[in-house]
Amino acid sequence: MKHQIDLHIHSKYSDDGEYEPEELVEMCHQKGIKVMAIRRPQPGKSNKSCQKKAEEYGIRYISAIEIDCTYKDINLHVLGYNIPEDEP
């Protein structure tokens, strides 16, 4: 069974990503992903162009942010979804 959702995607604008956001949309389309979230590049930046591309493929795009934090000496990644793209 194919995975149909991926809510933790990093683009080349993250330390550990390597693809443009629009390329990631294309890759999700090729893999049959129906719902996706790409971590916003940085505060104040937007993924609006890849959101539009996702809509063209019938993919539900969810805006996402990631906040790195440490709790009791454990590194955590807190993910936030549906934050308005124009929020800093």
Side-chain angles (χ1 to χ4, degrees), residues 7 10-11 19 22 26 29 35 53 56 73 77:
L7 297 178
H10 288 212
S11 72
Y19 299 101
E22 293 80 5
E26 180 70 34
H29 171 67
V35 180
K53 186 172 183 112
E56 290 172 9
D73 295 325
H77 302 270

Side-chain angles (χ1 to χ4, degrees), residues 12-26:
K12 76 174 200 173
Y13 300 106
S14 298
D15 292 339
D16 55 352
E18 57 185 287
Y19 299 101
E20 290 283 348
E22 293 80 5
E23 290 177 286
L24 293 168
V25 173
E26 180 70 34

Side-chain angles (χ1 to χ4, degrees), residues 1-80:
M1 179 179 179
K2 287 185 177 182
H3 298 282
Q4 294 188 351
I5 187 168
D6 191 336
L7 297 178
H8 192 176
I9 302 172
H10 288 212
S11 72
K12 76 174 200 173
Y13 300 106
S14 298
D15 292 339
D16 55 352
E18 57 185 287
Y19 299 101
E20 290 283 348
E22 293 80 5
E23 290 177 286
L24 293 168
V25 173
E26 180 70 34
M27 293 165 78
C28 284
H29 171 67
Q30 291 173 359
K31 297 285 186 180
I33 300 289
K34 301 294 182 201
V35 180
M36 65 180 293
I38 298 176
R39 177 193 174 277
R40 190 186 318 175
Q42 54 186 276
K45 298 279 183 171
S46 173
N47 280 331
K48 287 188 187 278
S49 62
C50 65
Q51 181 177 6
K52 183 178 178 183
K53 186 172 183 112
E55 289 171 3
E56 290 172 9
Y57 285 127
I59 297 172
R60 180 171 177 220
Y61 176 86
I62 299 172
S63 93
I65 61 168
E66 181 175 10
I67 301 168
D68 296 331
C69 59
T70 302
Y71 176 75
K72 294 186 178 182
D73 295 325
I74 299 171
N75 292 324
L76 302 169
H77 302 270
V78 178
L79 303 171

